[in-house]
């Protein structure tokens, strides 16, 4: 039968849909959809445990023998009566620390010195490592470090096969002192731990350019992926890490002794490591490699969020590289793709000069990402884009970097139809391809930090992506003040994950890493805050302990 066309009016938007007779018929009234669909519809045989119930596993994530799953229930926190609290309110120390007496232990020079020493990179000093990162954003003709990477190393400036701005104004920082960047926050991201126990989460350090100027801002975030020292124990081996963070709540930060104890513990965790664990500040936790190349998966990274000299806000990403000649080794900041940030122009299916990977991206996105984006809980909206589609930069003050902006003017097209076929298969007749593109933007750096702020993610107006800081572009600012998104949405979710795992009982190994007599193979652990029944042996490939696929947030 020939394709039928339906014009569906939603407010001021008209979206032209193509549907074959086999597709689910969409019934519409002038103002509302008349549907009866489950809140979290699923494909048969594709159910996986999520932090709030169930979600779809992508076709490329299926395994023939999924690991056994242990579901840890968590309580939904009570509604917050006044959120966000006033600036200066001290955040929960089990999740994030901004105390000045703690930050004093974390100068960037000390962090870089430890990275260099533990890598044996005695041919580089701390200042050189810092300055080389910014020098990489300049052209070779103006290089301060000629043998290091530069933005025009390729005939067409780019990273991962995608174009980048070259040079960037931040290249002027190649002559800056390390002391221009000061620590503002330490962050617990246990919620990013692999559900199967491959790692124990990410632990982050944020630095900001001082003194503050509204037209000259620059931030660095070091995101260390902490390896699991006993993978055979699964996530049970990570319990000392969770116990450490939960224990910080017992310290009284109003007393001198409590402040000293808190600073001592944080310093030890990051610089020395818990017993049996590496310190967070170890080069392998930031993707250390011997040779240049694309992003090293399963490792951490270093990111910049830049607005030097009042240009466009932009985010870039780096991993560490060691280069040895004879007995002398140097360390470099190696520019890599920005994770979960596909090139925005690939969402424009009518681009007259599409990127060579655009068609491959369209097929991969429609089949592998739509199911991750349909949940209406902003903490569970997720995306895990294969690195071959990730761009080399994410520009958060350019509307053209918003995926919905790119897709909006091109519908209908084959890409949009493929997305809406998947939506129909999922039972989400209330969403459109444009809604999916907008949700995808929330998972990009530019979207999460700015472009998606206060954006409705469906025709009904809900959910709405929460705001960053009032002056935009950051979730933790130069004063250590937090965004509404963190206070009211992300931190309560992470606390639920942390507390639920902390109070659960080990099933594979005890807290000393000794196997339990009754245990079989290590079980993947997923925290669930949903009352919905979940198949106990659902596959969890590629999920975090919070039930989300891996992503940048």
């Amino acid at each position: 039968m020939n394709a039928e066309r339906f014009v569906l009016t939603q407010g001021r938007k008209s979206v032209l849909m193509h549907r074959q007779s086999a597709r689910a018929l969409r019934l519409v009234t002038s103002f509302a959809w008349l549907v009866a669909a489950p809140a979290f519809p699923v494909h048969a045989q594709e159910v996986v445990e999520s932090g709030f119930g169930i979600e779809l596993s992508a076709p490329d994530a299926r395994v023939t023998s999924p690991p056994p799953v242990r579901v840890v229930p968590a309580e939904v926190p009570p509604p917050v009566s006044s959120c966000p609290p006033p600036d200066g309110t001290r955040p929960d120390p089990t999740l994030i620390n901004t105390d000045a007496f703690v930050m004093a232990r974390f100068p960037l020079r000390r962090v870089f010195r430890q990275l260099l020493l533990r890598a044996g990179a005695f041919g580089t000093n701390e200042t050189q490592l810092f300055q080389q990162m910014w020098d990489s954003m300049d052209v070779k003709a103006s290089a301060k470090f000629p043998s290091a990477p530069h933005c025009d190393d390729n005939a067409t400036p780019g990273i991962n096969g995608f174009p980048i701005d070259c040079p960037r104004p931040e290249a002027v920082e190649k002559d800056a002192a390390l002391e221009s960047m000061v620590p503002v926050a330490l962050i617990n991201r246990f919620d990013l731990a692999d559900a199967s126990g491959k790692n124990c989460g990410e632990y982050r350090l944020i630095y900001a350019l001082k003194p503050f100027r509204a037209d000259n801002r620059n931030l660095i975030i070091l995101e260390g992926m902490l390896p699991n020292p006993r993978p055979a124990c699964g996530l049970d081996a990570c319990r000392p890490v969770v116990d450490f963070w939960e224990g910080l709540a017992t310290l009284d930060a109003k007393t001198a002794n409590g402040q000293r104890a808190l600073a001592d513990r944080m310093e030890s965790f990051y610089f020395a490591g818990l017993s049996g664990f590496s310190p967070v500040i170890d080069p392998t936790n930031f993707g250390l490699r011997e040779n240049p190349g694309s992003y090293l998966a399963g490792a951490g990274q270093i990111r910049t969020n830049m607005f030097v000299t009042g240009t466009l806000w932009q985010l870039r990403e780096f991993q560490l590289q060691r280069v040895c000649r004879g007995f002398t080794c140097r360390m470099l900041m190696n520019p890599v793709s920005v994770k979960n940030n596909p090139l925005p122009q690939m969402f424009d299916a009518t681009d007259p000069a599409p990127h060579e990977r655009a068609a491959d991206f369209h097929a991969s996105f429609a089949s592998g990402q739509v199911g991750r984006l349909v949940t209406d809980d902003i903490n569970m909206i997720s995306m895990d884009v294969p690195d071959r589609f990730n761009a080399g930069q994410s520009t958060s003050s350019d509307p053209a970097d918003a995926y919905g902006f790119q897709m909006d003017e091109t519908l209908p097209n084959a890409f949009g139809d493929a997305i809406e076929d998947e939506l129909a298969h999922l039972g989400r007749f209330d969403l459109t391809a444009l809604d999916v593109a907008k949700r995808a933007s929330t998972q990009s750096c530019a979207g999460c930090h700015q472009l998606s702020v206060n954006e409705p993610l469906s025709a009904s107006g809900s959910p709405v992506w929460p705001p960053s800081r009032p002056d935009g572009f950051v979730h933790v600012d130069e004063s250590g003040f937090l965004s509404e998104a963190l206070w009211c949405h992300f931190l309560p979710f992470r606390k639920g994950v942390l507390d639920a795992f902390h109070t659960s009982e080990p099933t594979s190994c005890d807290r000393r890493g000794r196997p339990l007599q009754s245990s079989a193979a290590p079980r993947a652990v997923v925290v669930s805050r949903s009352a919905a029944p979940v198949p106990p042996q659902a596959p969890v490939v590629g999920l975090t302990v919070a039930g989300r696929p891996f992503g940048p947030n």
Side-chain angles (χ1 to χ4, degrees):
M1 182 180 293
N2 294 329
E4 298 173 342
R5 298 190 174 199
F6 299 92
V7 177
L8 309 178
T9 303
Q10 302 176 5
R12 298 169 60 187
K13 294 276 185 182
S14 293
V15 183
L16 187 63
M17 306 292 180
H18 292 268
R19 283 295 175 267
Q20 301 292 338
S21 59
R23 299 175 188 172
L25 179 63
R26 298 178 184 245
L27 303 178
V28 296
T29 66
S30 299
F31 303 101
W33 297 95
L34 301 178
V35 299
F40 297 94
V42 299
H43 288 238
Q45 306 300 321
E46 294 185 57
V47 180
V48 296
E49 172 65 14
S50 81
F52 280 79
I54 51 181
E55 70 178 33
L56 293 187
S57 67
D60 58 1
R62 296 174 185 153
V63 293
T64 55
S65 299
V69 180
R70 179 179 176 221
V71 178
V72 175
E75 295 183 1
V76 178
V80 179
S81 57
S82 177
C83 197
D87 284 347
T89 302
R90 185 171 184 259
D92 185 340
T94 69
L95 299 173
I96 184 169
N97 189 282
T98 59
D99 295 323
F101 57 85
V102 175
M103 297 302 106
R105 307 279 186 100
F106 290 84
L108 189 57
R109 182 174 298 277
R110 182 185 180 190
V111 171
F112 278 14
R113 180 184 301 125
Q114 172 144 325
L115 291 173
L116 292 166
L117 290 174
R118 291 184 69 88
F122 302 113
T124 304
N125 63 40
E126 307 94 311
T127 298
Q128 291 170 334
L129 183 63
F130 174 73
Q131 294 179 342
Q132 179 266 316
M133 177 170 65
W134 308 113
D135 189 52
S136 71
M137 301 181 195
D138 207 347
V139 296
K140 289 180 288 188
S142 303
K144 183 170 185 174
F145 302 93
S147 62
H150 293 91
C151 62
D152 63 346
D153 284 343
N154 301 315
T156 301
I159 296 174
N160 199 32
F162 296 102
I164 57 172
D165 296 343
C166 179
R168 276 286 300 185
E170 288 76 22
V172 302
E173 297 296 300
K174 68 171 71 177
D175 296 317
L178 267 168
E179 286 68 28
S180 64
M181 306 293 290
V182 301
V184 295
L186 306 176
I187 300 178
N188 169 11
R189 294 305 308 272
F190 171 73
D191 62 293
L192 295 180
D194 191 299
S196 65
K198 293 179 180 178
N199 61 68
C200 294
E202 282 189 8
Y203 301 92
R204 301 179 171 181
L205 307 90
I206 300 179
Y207 292 82
L209 179 66
K210 288 290 187 79
F212 172 82
R213 270 179 36 201
D215 64 343
N216 197 59
R217 302 175 68 186
N218 203 0
L219 297 97
I220 301 173
I221 179 167
L222 292 91
E223 302 173 342
M225 180 73 76
L226 189 64
N228 184 339
R230 302 181 184 87
C233 291
L235 269 180
D236 278 340
C238 300
R239 289 185 179 277
V241 176
V242 174
D243 293 345
F244 162 80
W245 284 97
E246 291 281 16
L248 300 179
T250 65
L251 302 176
D252 185 357
K254 296 179 181 179
T255 68
N257 287 340
Q259 291 180 5
R260 187 180 307 109
L262 178 55
D264 287 347
R265 291 191 190 184
M266 295 294 280
E267 179 181 30
S268 180
F269 178 74
Y270 276 87
F271 285 101
L274 301 177
S275 177
F277 289 81
S278 74
V280 173
I281 303 171
D282 184 278
T284 59
N285 299 341
F286 300 93
L288 182 69
R289 69 182 69 205
E290 296 292 335
N291 300 303
S294 59
Y295 177 73
L296 181 62
Q301 55 277 322
I302 298 170
R303 293 177 177 172
T304 61
N305 191 6
M306 315 174 296
F307 185 63
V308 170
T309 67
T311 186
L312 292 175
W313 275 94
Q314 192 172 97
L315 297 100
R316 295 278 183 98
E317 190 163 320
F318 300 82
Q319 289 185 320
L320 297 177
Q321 177 190 348
R322 184 172 61 181
V323 179
C324 297
R325 291 185 178 179
F327 296 102
T328 302
C329 293
R330 298 181 298 121
M331 183 181 284
L332 302 173
M333 293 280 191
N334 183 39
V336 297
S337 59
V338 185
K339 300 302 100 39
N340 254 19
N341 283 263
L343 184 73
Q345 288 73 22
M346 292 197 297
F347 279 85
D348 181 357
T350 62
D351 188 342
H355 192 277
E356 61 183 9
R357 302 178 199 171
D360 187 16
F361 170 73
H362 295 164
S364 174
F365 182 87
S367 64
Q369 304 304 322
V370 175
R372 306 175 188 269
L373 294 164
V374 296
T375 176
D376 289 330
D377 188 296
I378 63 166
N379 280 294
M380 296 306 296
I381 294 174
S382 62
M383 186 168 69
D384 189 17
V385 174
D387 190 52
R388 66 185 183 275
F389 303 127
N390 286 324
Q393 62 188 32
S394 186
T395 305
S396 54
S397 53
D398 184 358
D401 263 31
Y403 302 148
F405 177 92
Q406 292 289 341
M407 179 173 279
D408 194 7
E409 300 303 321
T410 69
L411 291 172
N413 54 60
F415 182 34
D417 284 350
I419 292 173
E420 294 192 349
D421 281 347
E422 187 68 14
L423 287 171
H425 189 44
L426 294 167
R428 288 307 302 261
F429 302 106
D430 55 324
L431 297 180
T432 68
L434 181 58
D435 295 329
V436 171
K438 290 179 178 179
R439 290 169 181 235
S441 268
T442 70
Q443 302 305 291
S444 73
C445 291
C448 181
H449 281 264
Q450 184 64 21
L451 296 179
S452 297
V453 166
N454 294 321
E455 170 115 74
L457 303 180
S458 72
S460 69
S462 178
V464 174
W465 194 254
S468 52
R469 286 291 301 162
D471 49 1
F473 302 100
V474 298
H475 287 290
V476 181
D477 70 13
E478 290 84 349
S479 298
F481 297 157
L482 311 186
S483 68
E484 179 179 331
L486 274 173
W487 274 120
C488 308
H489 300 276
F490 302 151
L491 291 183
F493 173 80
R494 297 173 195 173
K495 183 62 173 173
V497 173
L498 189 74
D499 288 351
F501 185 81
H502 179 62
T503 57
S504 67
E505 291 297 323
T507 58
S508 300
C509 299
D510 64 19
R511 281 177 163 78
R512 295 184 180 181
R514 297 174 300 193
L516 298 175
Q517 291 183 352
S518 60
S519 69
R523 309 186 76 189
V525 178
V526 176
V527 173
S528 175
R529 300 194 328 188
S530 170
V534 179
Q537 298 299 320
V540 295
V541 176
L543 293 185
T544 67
V545 64
R548 299 179 75 253
F550 297 110
N553 296 327

